[in-house]
Amino acid sequence: MHKLDSKALAFSHNLFKLMPFLCCIHTSIFGSHQSVFHSNQLLNALSKSSRIDDARKLFDKMPQRDEYTWNTMISGYASVGRLGEARKLFDGFSGRSSITWSSLISGYCRFGCQVEAFDLFRWMRLDGQKPTQYTLGSILRVCSAFGLIQNGEMIHGYVVKNGFESNVYVVTGLVDMYAKCKHVTQAEFLFKGLAHDKGNHVLWTAMVTGYAQNGDGHKAIEFFHYMRSEGVESNQFTFPSILTACSAISAHCFGEQVHGCIVRSGFGCTVYVQSALVNMYAKCGDLSNAKRVLESMEEDDVVSWNSMIVGCVRHGFEEEALLLFKKMHARKVKIDEYTFPSVLNCCIVGSIDAKSAHCLVIKTRFENYKLVSNALLDMYAKTRDFNCAYAVFEKMLQKDVISWTPLVTGCAQNGCHEESLKIFCDMRIAGISPDQFNVASILSACAELTLLEFGKQVHSDFIKSGHRSTLSADNSLVTMYAKCGRLDDADTIFISMQVRDVITWTALIVGYAQNGKGRDSLRFYETMVSSGTKPDFITFIGLLFAYSHAGLVDGRIYFQQMNKVYGIKPGPEHYACMIDLFGRLGKLNEAKEMLNQMDVKPDATVWKALLAACRVHGNLELGERAATNLFELEPMNAMPYVMLSNMYSAACKWDDAVKIRRLMKSKRIVKEPGCSWIETNSRVHTFISEDRGHPREAEIYAKVDEIIVRIKEAGYVPDTSFSLHDMDIEGKEVGLAYHSEKLAVAFGLLASPPGAPVRIFKNLQVCGDCHSAMKYISRVFSCHIILRDSNCFHHFREGECSCGEYW
């Protein structure tokens, strides 16, 4: 404990022992009507020892009171937070001086009542009283604590006008205020005027703290070097600030040097300094030194224990974090609301049962703390227990953007994209503005659902919010625009990004590949590698996907580079891309050979790629093998049944096709119905084959008939091999004419402004006849049709498709 604290305790202890004697003196003073001097001394002693009620009794019994008496009592009330009683006394005192005003203002400032403090400061000047340096110091501390830069600038103006600009105490307060309000340049300017005052530790510490708190750890370290070179000694407040800077930039070596300075300076046993050391070592990953400092502390400090637990969780030592938490209980360290979030993080990786941890939160009565509730939400969302997550959310009395984010993000990451959008809309209705993390998640949901207009609205709102963009948000924007077929917008975001990572490049590589621009994907890959960014597992999936969809046989070279150059072992997804590539090129024997040489067991993705290739090239034997394996891997997936049935139908093996359909029916396997949708005027219009449910049904069907007539005149011939029913040619052609894609494009031509692109989305792969029809429609009607199916984008312009017929 600090020496001054020890003396204060000793004084208070002796004062209580002398209370009877002092009371006798008090009685004799009143009896003789002597000066109030001794009574004021006793009143001051009672106030400073927090015996406010006893001080008030003495105050009420005093027959004579002077200004010092009133100021002492008002200051006593204000110092312990009894501001209402202090204000009542203040209002009842007619002889108020600048000291009286300052005492009350100081109390309001100390307990965070900034509005009342500034009101009093204004009324003080209207009363004709001039604020003292201590008044200004108190007001500036409030500005520092709450980031009130405009109020602080107002006080700065008053300081200049009233001749306080040379007052070291006041200017130090201004430096601290500007530094903590993220106006470090102004703080530096004021500091230079007082840099000669090498004994002013507060001034120099304010600058170090300002740099550290504003995220400029390097500048903080540079300034600390300057401070040491000027012979300015550090104290128990300087060291924690510079250690915070070391933590922020993982400057472990410099942090160790600071530790040496701390030991030599004699501050090694200060709890505040020790806590900062534990935090620095833990954040830098030096858990052994962090633990050593923690164990050397004479006094258990919950902040230090929390830092140690956070460090263990952050660096993947969840079991160690739980052991520390148990030790806290054993040593009866009083946990706080900052302890639980890290402990709840351990549940995400399965180190402790989530509901057991929740029970402990309830038992310790921390469930109503917003920080803990938010951590519970995050835990349940990441463990996919959305029922419990919703239950916690509904019980929360106060919700901020952090409370909503786990639900939005959790739903988006677990495939519940529509639910994610609904929660996001509910959040906006509740008046909560999204932050960078929230925006990144909702843009990912928009990308998966290809909701371009909604994504553009989110992007627009994000720009208007004034939030600084993050790498995650920018990556989500690139992905969203690329997946919605807006490559120009994706490029614009990409070019504007100051920092890019492998996710950024991969988003563009995949986006261009999906939009039929495989060669551009390869160009981006080469640029990425030359920029020094190493490709990862996902990058190669996008790259091989690009080769596959561009029909480029060179994909094998990059497939081999994965392991040889980058040490990435191919997964089933990479093999599936290669098999798809061979299948598109008609090299089924090579696809079969690669299948037999796989280093990993083929999964459903691989067999689907092979089955699709067999469907295109009519290889029933190999297709049956692929379908049989899929029946075992995904017994309730309708795709292999439908695909094999279609292959039998195309080969006119109607009996075998019927057998597969009956097998599906006996297993109660339901095929996902094909549907297409189009968004116009912020409304989504959905169509299924031969759909008669749209309000503009008559117009749509009339438009389809017109389209078929006009494109037939241009050379279109219906491909009846895609009509998988046993009927005559005319019946097959009628069935093909009213596929969902054709109904959607007919509506698009009716509803879209002239010259506007028609954007259609389909849940399944577009059929060959519709693909052919779209090419003719784009030429005959002079329009740009963008059709995204389950596989990729098709840009139809002037009778050509961006996929190059590799779809």
Side-chain angles (χ1 to χ4, degrees), residues 556-752:
R556 184 179 291 227
I557 297 172
Y558 291 97
F559 182 79
Q560 293 169 349
Q561 275 187 5
M562 283 181 63
N563 199 5
K564 290 181 179 178
V565 179
Y566 297 103
I568 301 171
K569 291 185 177 181
E573 302 91 340
H574 302 101
Y575 283 104
C577 288
M578 290 304 298
I579 288 171
D580 183 62
L581 170 60
F582 289 131
R584 288 171 188 274
L585 296 174
K587 299 181 178 182
L588 291 183
N589 288 332
E590 291 187 48
K592 186 177 179 182
E593 183 182 342
M594 176 161 277
L595 179 70
N596 294 332
Q597 293 176 355
M598 283 180 63
D599 294 331
V600 293
K601 186 178 180 180
D603 67 0
T605 311
V606 176
W607 292 113
K608 286 175 185 176
L610 183 62
L611 181 58
C614 294
R615 162 72 176 84
V616 171
H617 298 288
N619 190 325
L620 264 176
E621 182 183 353
L622 193 56
E624 286 173 336
R625 178 188 170 190
T628 302
N629 279 280
L630 284 168
F631 294 161
E632 294 178 4
L633 290 170
E634 296 181 348
M636 299 307 292
N637 186 352
M639 189 279 280
Y641 294 92
V642 174
M643 190 80 80
L644 186 59
S645 173
N646 291 350
M647 289 175 70
Y648 283 136
S649 298
C652 297
K653 292 190 173 185
W654 304 110
D655 291 341
D656 290 329
V658 169
K659 285 180 183 178
I660 295 295
R661 296 282 181 175
R662 284 176 179 170
L663 181 62
M664 280 182 69
K665 190 173 182 180
S666 67
K667 292 185 175 183
R668 296 183 179 179
I669 299 170
V670 180
K671 173 185 175 294
E672 181 183 6
C675 69
S676 301
W677 64 94
I678 182 171
E679 185 178 0
T680 60
N681 299 323
S682 300
R683 286 192 60 191
V684 176
H685 301 264
T686 306
F687 301 90
I688 59 173
S689 185
E690 300 184 30
D691 193 349
R692 297 280 180 178
H694 197 277
R696 299 179 66 177
E697 173 213 335
E699 293 178 79
I700 293 168
Y701 273 81
K703 189 68 176 177
V704 170
D705 293 340
E706 177 196 342
I707 289 170
I708 297 299
V709 170
R710 290 182 62 179
I711 62 176
K712 277 185 175 180
E713 291 174 354
Y716 162 72
V717 177
D719 188 347
T720 55
S721 66
F722 287 93
S723 180
L724 304 174
H725 301 283
D726 187 11
M727 58 178 68
D728 59 26
I729 296 295
E730 185 178 351
K732 289 183 178 182
E733 287 188 9
V734 171
L736 290 171
Y738 302 124
H739 274 191
S740 64
E741 302 96 306
K742 294 189 181 79
L743 294 175
V745 78
F747 176 75
L749 292 173
L750 288 169
S752 300

